[in-house]
Structure formats: structure tokens, C-alpha cells
Amino acid sequence: MKIWLPLDSFAVAMGGDEVAEAILAEAGKRGVKVSLTRNGSRGMAWLEPLVEVEVKGVRHAFGPIKPADVPALFDDLAAHPKALGPTEELDWMKGQTRLTFARVGVIDPLSLADYHAHGGLAGLDRAKGMTKAQIVAEVTESGLRGRGGAGFPTGIKWKTVSEAKADRKYIVCNADEGDSATFADRMLMEGDPFTLIEGMAIAGLACGATKGFVYIRSEYPVAIRVMRAAVEIARAEGVLGAAFDMEIRVGAGAYVCGEETSLLNSLEGKRGIVRAKPPLPALEGFMGQPTVVNNVISLASVPVILAKGAAYYKDFGLGRSRGTIPLQIAGNVKYGGLYETAFGLTLGEIVDKIAGGCFTDRPVKAVQVGGPLGAYFPRALFDTPFGYEEFAAKDGLIGHAGLTLFDDSADMLAMARFAMEFCAIESCGKCTPCRIGSTRGVETLDRLARGDASAIPILTDLCNTMKLGSLCALGGFTPYPVMSALTHFPDDFARAKEAAE
């Protein structure tokens, strides 16, 4: 029997390791030879642990599986109470356009042979026959933009580093995925680590860098283990070496280290606080040298671009948002998980058709897009296409493409306060608008909750100061959830005043 069971944190958190032990124990008891592969997650979080069994050459899905469900996997599979059918035919899988995540859940994450058999290293092989300028031009033409939140064109950043004059250059992968409702970086590293390694190696060729670092948040023990093992395998097999090598570094848990200059300070062994710009990291980054800082999904999207060409990748999407985006759906939701699709679906299509609405079966009141610093969108804005400029036009952010659903019981004043409190706790303290502004913001929202409507103009002015005056996105983006809550859900603020009266 060929069986696949994710080692992904989704599955592990839901008892995946215990299910694996039960499968091996049952196989031993029955004298059945089993090939058990610990793969990445397919992204259907509500079905984890999701076990797949090969039936006549086709992988069939069963889930969510508990140890007590394992014995039936060795009997009539068609009669198994958790049988879902062929994995690729499930609605969640059929609707996707998987480019960056094409191998996640399919291959053994730590088998370089498996990776190669599924198209891996084709991009790197092609890049080795190109000049630096040609590689940069290919990435630029693809329209790839930073998937970490800022949406800055990847090719422009690479061009700056490639043309910089320096004895040493670096590629730094920002895997400090600290936003709530975001897990694409983790899933990619746990399920297909060689894609990230290949993307970084291509970036090294394009920019003339010989050293790379992956900075992973400490809360990702599985990803850290898998990435470290993958680097050792890649080095032993010659994918990494003298021309380009890399290592894994683990952060200490500061949210602000998701900002690139704070990350670089931490990587250098300094306190993780924001640097003033200029100079830009592309010119004076790690150890003062030209440095590419991209997030996991940005770098992991490069291999398919080099393998299939910029035109192929650019053909997906809309406007200036090209390619695909891994939607991470969470919160009060029926079908949470990762869903990779081309830019362009409306927010309503994502919420109602893909996510299935709220788990509580109550109406969806708001969706926060872009993590804890993203704006709250009401149903009136659900016709907004999922794209950078399209969301910006509605005072929203794509961010890392995390979506958190709330039903009609959510108190949006309380959510606005949470955003300010989150900023106050996580602020590095370097700039006054963020450090002091967030603390005053909590106090001002508490005044509103007590029924002091005169605090609204103060809150608006405070948010404007934070947005325009903060050194980084932590203070600069906190006004998005606060002001969107105030703008789109005024009744929640009015009710606080009425309650106080």
C-alpha cells in the first residue's frame, strides 16, 4: 500500500503523528507492506489529518482521520466512513491554479529525486545558461511582486542589487510569517522546501550573491526542521555549494522582525528595530552590503517563472497583479486553509464560494484582509476584485493574502481596539507615532467604548499621524483596521455611546 500523511503543522496539531503510528502498527499487525510518505498539506485544513491512499494509480483522500479510523483503511476503502474520493477531483482542488504550490502535498518534501521528477530544478538549470541581466529581465517581465505584503516589483529590487558594485552580496528570505491568518510560508517550507532553495539559488545567480539566509520565526519547529534537512540534502547533491550556499536562522519571536530592516538587524545579532531609509537594503543591507530581501512566496514563485517563461506566468491575473496568489482563509469559516488562484476573483467569490461562509452559519459581517493590520471589508465591498490596486482603491491591503472572517456577532469597536493594542505591544519603540500613538489609540478607543463620541475626531487625527509618520508598516498600517471599522461599521461605535448613556 502507498499511503501519504502530512507532516505539515496543520496535520501534526490535529494528531497526525499519532495517526502515522497507528498506520504502521496496523500494517504490522496485518502483515501488509506499507510505503508511508509524510508529505505537505493539500491545504484543506478542516480535513486534517488528511490521509491519501493509492487506488489503481490514483490517490484517494480520507479525512479527517483519527487513530480509530485507521483499521478501516486496510479493509474496503470504498466503504470507509471518511472516504472523500480522488484527491485531485475534490472541489477545493479542482478550482485552483497551483503554480507555486504545485508540488505541495504531492511529493515527499525531503526527496530531491521526487522534486526533480515533478519538474523541480528546471528553472535553475535554465538560469545557469542565462546572464544576470537576462534572469532579472525574465523576473521583471513576469510581473511578480513581493508576496510579503508590500507588493513591490521583484525584478526592480533584483536589478538594483545586481547592478550594485560590491565585493559581496546576499539573498535573505523573510520567513518571519507573523501575521495572524497567514500560513503560506510555513506550508511551502514544510511541503516543498527545495522550491524555496531553488528560488534563492536563482536569485543568487541573478544578483551575483554567493550567500543566502532564511530567517524563520521560532514558532515554526516543523518548518525549521524540514528546511535545515533540505539545505543539507541540497548541499550534498551539489545544488548548493561554493557558487551559492545558504543557512537557516531562527528568530526570537518579535513581530516587528517581519519588517525587512528589523530582520536584518536581528540577523546581524543586533536588537530588532527598524532602520531609517535611505539607505535601502538593496544597496546597504546585511552587513552593509547589497541585499535582496524577499519573502518565501516571492522567492518560491521564481522557479516556475524561469522554467515556463515570464509570458506563461504573466498570463494569470489582472491589471498590475500578475500570476497567482495563495489565499489563506481563517477565522469563523467553514472551509479554512490555503487556496492558490490567479488574481482577479472578487472578495465575495472567495468568502461565499470557496470559504463557504461562517462556521456558525450566521451572516458574514466583515472580512479582514492582510493580517492584523489589514482593513475590515463589509459585504458592501465584496465585489472588489482581489488585486493590489483594486484593494488600495477601497482603502484596503492585500498584504500576505490572509483572510479572517467574522460573523454578525463581532464587535468592531473591540476589533479596532485590538489592532491598536497589538501595535502597542509589538512596537519596537523607535519612532514616536507608533510607540506613543498606539498607546494613545487604545486609550481613545476606551473613551469611545465609554460613550465619549468626542473622541472620534481625536482617533481620526491620531490614525492620520501614525499612517504618515511611522517608520515602518507596523505603525503605518495599524490605522487601516481602525479606520475601516469606524467607517464601515458605525453602528458598533454608536452602540457603545448608547450603552454608556
Side-chain angles (χ1 to χ4, degrees):
M1 290 180 68
K2 289 185 177 180
I3 300 178
W4 290 263
L5 170 64
L7 53 68
D8 183 277
S9 293
F10 279 152
V12 171
M14 298 305 294
D17 290 343
E18 291 76 8
V19 172
E21 292 175 5
I23 288 172
L24 295 176
E26 188 68 22
K29 186 194 306 182
R30 299 194 183 209
V32 176
K33 185 178 180 181
V34 165
S35 168
L36 177 61
T37 299
R38 299 302 299 273
N39 57 327
S41 173
R42 293 280 194 161
M44 295 172 280
W46 76 97
L47 292 176
E48 296 292 1
L50 182 75
V51 172
E52 294 179 74
V53 181
E54 186 176 88
V55 180
K56 296 180 180 179
V58 177
R59 286 163 66 163
H60 285 240
F62 301 81
I65 293 293
K66 298 182 181 298
D69 301 316
V70 167
L73 291 174
F74 293 82
D75 297 323
D76 181 6
L77 289 174
H80 197 291
K82 300 290 182 70
L84 301 169
T87 309
E88 296 291 346
E89 295 301 314
L90 300 180
D91 289 343
W92 182 269
M93 299 302 300
K94 283 197 301 183
Q96 297 189 54
T97 301
R98 287 213 163 194
L99 300 183
T100 306
F101 281 77
R103 285 176 290 266
V104 175
V106 176
I107 66 170
D108 178 346
L110 293 176
S111 170
L112 193 58
D114 208 0
Y115 178 71
H116 194 273
H118 286 81
L121 301 179
L124 180 58
D125 289 342
R126 182 180 172 222
K128 288 177 179 178
M130 302 166 70
T131 65
K132 293 197 298 181
Q134 287 173 331
I135 300 172
V136 170
E138 192 82 9
V139 173
T140 303
E141 177 60 25
S142 74
L144 178 66
R145 295 167 67 172
R147 298 293 191 251
F152 188 80
T154 304
I156 293 177
K157 184 179 290 188
W158 285 24
K159 187 174 189 290
T160 304
V161 176
S162 182
E163 295 178 353
K165 305 298 182 184
D167 294 331
R168 194 162 179 81
K169 301 176 183 180
Y170 296 95
I171 308 298
V172 173
C173 175
N174 182 350
D176 192 61
E177 187 178 45
D179 284 348
S180 52
T182 57
F183 38 82
D185 293 356
R186 173 189 62 72
M187 281 185 59
L188 192 287
M189 290 187 290
E190 292 175 352
D192 191 10
F194 294 119
T195 292
L196 176 57
I197 293 171
E198 182 179 358
M200 292 184 70
I202 292 171
L205 288 175
C207 301
T210 57
K211 182 72 173 182
F213 297 92
V214 182
Y215 185 97
I216 307 179
R217 63 182 302 201
S218 59
E219 295 90 339
Y220 282 175
V222 179
I224 292 167
R225 173 174 60 80
V226 172
M227 282 302 305
R228 281 177 170 162
V231 167
E232 291 297 326
I233 293 168
R235 192 178 291 133
E237 295 295 328
V239 177
L240 298 174
F244 183 82
D245 203 0
M246 55 187 283
E247 61 182 85
I248 308 302
R249 296 285 183 89
V250 179
Y255 178 80
V256 77
C257 285
E259 191 279 330
E260 61 179 2
T261 62
S262 298
L263 184 154
L264 291 173
N265 274 341
S266 177
L267 200 58
E268 292 175 3
K270 302 172 184 175
R271 181 183 172 194
I273 58 174
V274 176
R275 298 178 185 176
K277 300 176 186 177
L280 297 171
L283 297 175
E284 293 183 32
F286 183 65
M287 296 298 181
Q289 302 301 311
T291 305
V292 166
V293 184
N294 283 139
N295 94 310
V296 173
I297 304 305
S298 304
L299 289 162
S301 298
V302 170
V304 70
I305 292 171
L306 268 293
K308 297 192 175 184
Y312 174 85
Y313 190 81
K314 191 177 182 179
D315 192 46
F316 300 95
L318 84 161
R320 292 181 54 221
S321 303
R322 311 313 307 175
T324 60
I325 183 76
L327 305 173
Q328 297 131 87
I329 303 169
N332 186 344
V333 60
K334 283 185 180 178
Y335 307 122
L338 184 136
Y339 190 98
E340 185 179 3
T341 185
F343 285 98
L345 290 178
T346 66
L347 183 58
E349 288 175 316
I350 296 168
V351 170
D352 297 325
K353 294 182 180 180
I354 298 173
C358 287
F359 181 79
T360 54
D361 284 325
R362 297 174 67 102
V364 177
K365 180 175 184 176
V367 180
Q368 186 176 31
V369 183
L373 308 182
Y376 291 102
F377 273 41
R379 184 163 284 280
L381 295 179
F382 278 16
D383 61 346
T384 307
F386 209 83
Y388 292 104
E389 281 67 39
E390 290 74 16
F391 262 68
K394 302 290 178 66
D395 293 324
L397 303 163
I398 289 289
H400 197 36
L403 298 94
T404 306
L405 274 63
F406 298 84
D407 71 16
D408 61 354
S409 67
D411 180 347
M412 301 313 293
L413 190 153
M415 297 312 301
R417 186 189 187 282
F418 169 79
M420 278 293 187
E421 184 180 35
F422 179 86
C423 182
I425 292 170
E426 295 293 350
S427 175
C428 76
K430 184 167 184 176
C431 69
T432 304
C434 177
R435 182 184 71 250
I436 303 300
S438 55
T439 301
R440 297 289 87 85
V442 173
E443 295 169 356
T444 305
L445 284 159
D446 284 341
R447 285 176 55 185
L448 273 170
R450 292 194 297 269
D452 184 358
S454 67
I456 290 179
I458 299 172
L459 180 66
T460 302
D461 186 59
L462 183 63
C463 283
N464 192 51
T465 300
M466 292 178 67
K467 187 174 182 179
L468 298 177
S470 297
L471 276 176
C472 82
L474 177 54
F477 284 179
T478 295
Y480 279 88
V482 177
M483 292 308 299
S484 63
L486 179 61
T487 301
H488 299 304
F489 306 97
D491 289 350
D492 286 26
F493 292 77
R495 277 199 296 271
K497 181 181 177 181
E498 293 167 2
E501 293 172 348

